[in-house]
Amino acid sequence: MLNSAGVAFRPAGGTAGRDGPGDPCGPGADTSGALEFRLLGPVSVTRAGAAVPLSGAKIHTVLAVLLLARGALVADSRLSAALWGDAPPPTSNAQIYTYVSRLRKTLGNGVQIFRKGPGYVLDARGAEIDLLSFERLDRLGRQALEENRHEEAGGLLGRALDCWSGHALENVTEHLLRFERPRLEFLRTQALERRIEADLSLGRHRSLVPELLSLVARFPMDENLRAHLITALHRSDRQAEAVQVYGEGRRILDEQLGVVPGQQLSGAYLRMLRGESAGTPRRPLVLLPARAAAFTGRTAEAARLRSLLLRRPSGPGARLRAALVTGMPGSGKTALATEVAHGCAEAFPDGVVHADLHDADGAARPPAAVLAEILAALGETADTARTARHGLGELVCRYRARIAGSRLLVVLDDAASDGQLAGLLPVGRDSALLVTSRERLATVPAVHTMSLGPLADEDAVALLAETAGADRIRAEPAAVRDLVRHCAGLPLALRIAGARLAARPHRAVARFAARLADPRTRLAALSYGNLDLTRTLGRALTRLSPATAAVLPRLAPVGPGPFTARLAGELTGLSEAEAERALEELVDGSLLFAEPDGAPGEDHYRFHPLVLLHADTVPRRPSPR
């Protein structure tokens, strides 16, 4: 679609979802009475959607210069040059003063223009300025494109281009146009080319052809646009037209500039001749569990993980990007990793693969079986099952050869140890690794380890509302507070509680909260379908050494804590050193929290309330010595 200036702004794939409330460049923008300034087209001002009258090119010029300064001082000499060039009248300072006074009166209290030294400063912090909105959206779109998030990039860049309503600064003096328009138009052209690149990456080549034909006709010497047109025609099986477009471009460049086509235009032509990339770009393989239906909270954690995984390594010593998510059973490690991996998938064109490192009964899966599964997912046709039976080494070699040079995200869920990961790590710095585990693993640098604690009460209520219905949760705030307290911020417990409430839509929340209030029935109540808190905690105990597994139920009388190893030893009949070893193993398994140090040399520990409740139900047996 072409605007009034003849330049295509909207992506060929449409703009659905790009405009809406809060988008300063979209039709749904809500200025709420604030001033809105436009520079990317005729210079203009609106207040609450109504035009603010400005008269004459010179007053538009003064406003534009002040806005382009972005709050910096604009000297009288700069305003004079923009208004009159090299031939200002003798009364130039007086005229500038008059224009500024008119602007103050016209704009009112929405902005401030004040005299400072030898010039003026415009403070428009409370207003919308289309140029600033364009630059912000363009910056975000460029970043998304660099990270191969093509759908997001196309949306952001499309919204950036929607900020334009014609040629920049259409109604200002020729002197200001000469200074500023080329720079602004260059920024628009770059954004347009990036948006087209994003649309090509999404396979929208057929619908891009008409737009690119119009653009190349308007800008015949723009090699990048012509290269994109050749690519779009080639992918649309229109090779003869693509050859003609290249020949025409070569002729124009020779006649007009005396140069030959550059690398991008020549490269697009050669790729077409070789038959490369003729079809729709291959979508990355994404083999992940489904996203959680109610993923709530963990916003900061998800953002940090995305940043770690998307940050491209640089320099000769760059290493594999890796992140580790730890936390107690039921803390939402898998849900967070799945959510982040889905959100990062576009940045890994060779795919995202997921492997669960434990069976349903909690037993660790052999690395050979996991590798065979990953290789099969990546399209290996050899008999991986036979290889898995005969040798891990061969599978590791095949795996590394298969993914060498790839941009792949590998998600390893519920790792038990570093040894279990050894053969599964992706090679090359262009791939990335995301691991979940109840333990801190040396494989992943400590600075890239994220430990999940209980959800804050506000997030816990939001999770219940997503599962059981917001109206129902709002209707009984006191009962909901009790329910959240009994679940102690554990996402699995909250999901189960929400599922139980959703299954009984006419039952009061208070009735279920009362059942959770009784410690004797709380764990039994936190089970629904295939979600069972007792089973989840029980599987965690099977990973403990026999000595520590025997100690855990005998620690129940200690209470939630904090407590010391000395106190734990007194209650269990162990020496302080033996008790400390058991407590540290529980901490490593995320079944116990280590508190900040108390007295010098004396660590403190604390149980999660639901783990403590479970420990009290485990049959006690003598601790092996």
Side-chain angles (χ1 to χ4, degrees), residues 564-609:
T564 64
R566 182 154 45 93
L567 177 59
E570 292 172 359
L571 286 171
T572 58
L574 299 175
S575 69
E576 184 175 347
E578 290 173 324
E580 185 173 13
R581 280 196 296 272
L583 294 175
E584 287 299 310
E585 185 180 345
L586 290 170
V587 170
D588 289 340
S590 296
L591 290 168
L592 189 67
F593 301 114
E595 293 282 286
D597 291 350
E602 193 170 42
D603 294 330
H604 284 71
Y605 304 90
R606 177 173 54 84
F607 274 113
H608 186 278

Side-chain angles (χ1 to χ4, degrees), residues 108-362:
N109 296 327
V111 296
Q112 288 185 321
I113 307 175
F114 50 91
R115 182 76 177 171
K116 185 177 181 182
Y120 295 91
V121 172
L122 169 62
D123 182 356
R125 283 176 290 186
E128 293 284 355
I129 303 174
D130 62 352
L131 174 59
L132 301 185
S133 298
F134 164 77
E135 290 176 340
R136 177 180 60 81
L137 292 164
D138 180 48
R139 182 179 67 255
L140 294 172
R142 183 169 63 248
Q143 180 181 348
L145 188 62
E146 289 170 354
E147 295 172 352
N148 289 318
R149 292 180 281 123
H150 299 114
E151 190 76 48
E152 184 179 352
L156 288 164
L157 293 165
R159 286 167 54 197
L161 292 165
D162 285 343
C163 292
W164 289 73
S165 56
H167 288 299
L169 309 173
E170 285 188 8
N171 51 353
V172 301
T173 65
E174 60 180 329
H175 312 293
L176 181 59
L177 277 184
R178 188 170 64 251
F179 293 145
E180 294 291 349
R181 178 179 279 178
R183 176 182 67 88
L184 297 175
E185 294 289 344
F186 177 70
L187 293 176
R188 175 176 64 170
T189 301
Q190 282 192 315
L192 177 61
E193 290 177 359
R194 282 192 286 265
R195 198 227 76 213
I196 291 172
E197 181 183 343
D199 285 345
L200 281 172
S201 298
L202 292 167
R204 296 171 179 163
H205 41 274
R206 294 186 186 278
S207 52
L208 273 172
V209 168
E211 179 185 11
L212 284 166
L213 285 169
S214 297
L215 287 168
V216 169
R218 182 171 178 79
F219 306 106
M221 288 187 288
D222 190 309
E223 294 187 59
N224 293 340
L225 290 174
R226 192 174 289 271
H228 288 323
L229 176 56
I230 289 173
T231 300
L233 288 169
H234 172 43
R235 291 179 181 173
S236 303
D237 297 323
R238 298 164 65 174
Q239 282 78 7
E241 293 171 79
V243 171
Q244 184 178 356
V245 169
Y246 176 77
E248 180 186 66
R250 183 175 59 181
R251 177 183 58 78
I252 291 173
L253 291 170
D254 180 45
E255 292 177 356
Q256 299 292 325
L257 302 176
V259 299
V260 297
Q263 183 177 358
Q264 183 165 351
L265 180 54
S266 298
Y269 181 62
L270 289 173
R271 284 192 296 275
M272 181 201 66
L273 294 179
R274 297 189 192 111
E276 298 175 7
S277 303
T280 301
R282 180 175 59 88
R283 291 280 189 161
L285 174 74
V286 179
L287 296 175
L288 287 168
R291 280 172 145 152
F295 182 81
T296 304
R298 310 293 192 201
T299 304
E301 292 91 339
R304 184 183 163 214
L305 283 176
R306 281 194 297 269
S307 175
L308 288 170
L309 296 174
L310 294 175
R311 187 181 301 139
R312 296 295 302 277
S314 59
R319 297 183 178 181
L320 170 74
R321 288 167 286 169
L324 170 65
V325 181
T326 67
M328 66 175 287
S331 59
K333 301 182 293 297
T334 298
L336 174 61
T338 301
E339 180 72 18
V340 169
H342 274 288
C344 292
E346 281 194 16
F348 296 92
D350 294 305
V352 183
V353 294
H354 169 276
D356 195 333
L357 302 190
H358 277 79
D359 290 328
D361 61 0

Side-chain angles (χ1 to χ4, degrees), residues 459-581:
D459 289 333
V461 172
L463 180 54
L464 285 172
E466 287 284 344
T467 309
D471 292 341
R472 190 173 179 195
I473 295 304
R474 278 195 298 266
E476 297 183 68
V480 168
R481 283 194 299 272
D482 291 339
L483 192 153
V484 166
R485 185 175 70 256
H486 299 321
C487 290
L490 189 66
L492 176 58
L494 291 160
R495 284 180 60 203
I496 294 170
R500 277 191 164 275
L501 291 173
R504 302 291 187 271
H506 304 297
R507 186 171 295 174
V509 176
R511 181 176 171 183
F512 184 59
R515 187 175 178 191
L516 292 182
D518 187 346
R520 296 169 298 178
T521 57
R522 187 176 306 161
L523 289 179
L526 290 174
S527 172
Y528 188 78
N530 62 347
L531 300 176
D532 190 324
L533 181 59
T534 298
R535 185 172 65 241
T536 298
L537 295 174
R539 282 201 301 261
L541 299 189
T542 64
R543 302 193 196 177
L544 300 173
S545 67
T548 301
V551 167
L552 180 61
R554 295 159 60 196
L555 285 171
V558 80
F563 56 89
T564 64
R566 182 154 45 93
L567 177 59
E570 292 172 359
L571 286 171
T572 58
L574 299 175
S575 69
E576 184 175 347
E578 290 173 324
E580 185 173 13
R581 280 196 296 272

